[in-house]
Amino acid sequence: MTSKLLAGQDVEVDPEGFLVDASQWNKDVASAIAKEEGIDDLTGQHMQVINFMRSEYMAKGTAPNIRLLGKTSGVTVKELYQLFPKGPAKLAAKIAGIPKPHGCI
Amino acid sequence: MSDPIEKVSIIISKGSLEGVYPGLIMANGARAEGIEANLFFTFFGMDAIHRKHWSKMKVATVGNPGMHIPTVVGGIPGMSAMATKMMSKKIEKLDFPSIPEFVEMISDTGAGIYACLASADLFGYTKDDLVDQVQGIITVGEFYDIAAGGQIIFT
């Protein structure tokens, strides 16, 4: 676990760069993580997915997988891969400041 | 750390439920990690992309020691259907997609889906027999072109 300066704020991250404490997250932190992952501009659709991931995580304690995201977030699997080309579930979780989704599907 | 895998091509050659799922899970998992993925269906594996067969794939109860039932029992009519029903229920409980839904989803992730020309010729299948997600019926040479620069996994 290391401390990292994101958007002028000290946050705790794991070795893969996922936030350890979801409460240290805010929109500026999200933008900073997104930039590091090659997404320069978080659009409304990006934020729709990110906010959905956060609310699911807060409610259930786990991040939704790609199949669930495609079915329930209002953004299709195809669009998810256009928004987050390097792996939607993983990347959206990282930007949303929640742990990496765990599971094989 | 070793170099990350950036591209995989997965060959699915078996026409049973347990023969098809691993390749689909690996392809979907690759895309989820941002890895480029291609699926190549050959021989009986082509059932998974056949319009009439993809929703009717069964578990093999004969010649499958992992089932832990004697071959003579596995051969009783209806055994494969029963084992398939049981496994499908478990799969659904785990919230795994069915084979048709899985193939559709993998196609939506941007993975390439191809059928083998030799197998299509052998079974007399044309593009019309195969589901819309299939991008082409290709030769082994074309497969190697598509797979170039990545890892190849045979299942």
Side-chain angles (χ1 to χ4, degrees):
Chain A
M1 230 175 286
T2 48
S3 198
K4 192 177 176 182
L5 195 68
L6 280 176
Q9 194 185 330
D10 254 328
V11 294
E12 294 284 313
V13 293
D14 73 4
E16 282 186 279
F18 284 77
L19 253 60
V20 175
D21 179 359
S23 70
Q24 291 186 323
W25 182 90
N26 61 42
K27 181 107 198 282
D28 293 332
V29 170
S31 298
I33 301 171
K35 275 210 177 70
E36 283 184 355
E37 294 293 336
I39 299 170
D40 286 333
D41 186 26
L42 285 178
T43 63
Q45 215 174 15
H46 282 109
M47 285 316 293
Q48 184 186 339
V49 178
I50 288 159
N51 289 328
F52 180 82
M53 291 283 279
R54 275 187 76 81
S55 63
E56 281 287 297
Y57 173 71
M58 297 304 173
K60 293 176 186 161
T62 53
N65 63 25
I66 180 72
R67 179 174 177 236
L68 208 68
L69 265 184
K71 276 188 170 173
T72 51
S73 70
V75 179
T76 65
V77 170
K78 230 180 215 170
E79 291 166 333
L80 282 165
Y81 273 92
Q82 283 159 5
L83 292 170
F84 306 96
K86 282 276 169 193
K90 188 176 138 189
L91 215 54
K94 197 172 190 178
I95 299 169
I98 62 172
K100 188 174 165 178
H102 194 70
C104 288
I105 304 284
Chain B
M1 217 169 99
S2 12
D3 290 338
I5 294 172
E6 284 178 4
K7 178 178 178 179
V8 289
S9 292
I10 299 163
I11 302 164
I12 295 180
S13 68
K14 304 212 167 55
S16 58
L17 203 67
E18 77 278 13
V20 169
Y21 264 110
L24 297 183
I25 292 171
M26 291 187 78
N28 182 61
R31 293 297 302 129
E33 294 295 324
I35 299 168
E36 187 184 340
N38 292 297
L39 273 170
F40 183 72
F41 293 85
T42 185
F43 272 80
F44 296 105
M46 290 202 21
D47 268 2
I49 48 166
H50 188 280
R51 279 183 202 285
K52 287 187 184 142
H53 303 150
W54 73 337
S55 58
K56 294 178 187 147
M57 306 210 63
K58 291 199 164 45
V59 178
T61 47
V62 172
N64 183 1
M67 282 300 289
H68 308 295
I69 53 172
T71 293
V72 282
V73 178
I76 294 170
M79 274 308 280
S80 179
M82 199 179 82
T84 302
K85 213 173 158 187
M86 278 168 60
M87 195 165 283
S88 299
K89 260 193 190 154
K90 276 193 183 166
I91 286 170
E92 219 182 288
K93 228 177 170 178
L94 285 170
D95 212 20
F96 277 26
S98 67
I99 286 177
E101 190 199 328
F102 217 170
V103 172
E104 283 168 6
M105 186 170 104
I106 290 167
S107 168
D108 284 345
T109 70
I113 296 183
Y114 302 95
C116 159
L117 177 64
S119 308
D121 286 347
L122 182 69
F123 296 128
Y125 295 161
T126 66
K127 189 91 180 50
D128 292 338
D129 296 305
L130 306 176
V131 298
D132 296 337
Q133 284 74 18
V134 177
Q135 290 165 13
I137 300 177
I138 61 172
T139 65
V140 65
E142 286 165 331
F143 165 77
Y144 280 122
D145 280 343
I146 291 166
Q151 312 278 334
I152 297 175
I153 302 167
F154 187 88
T155 70

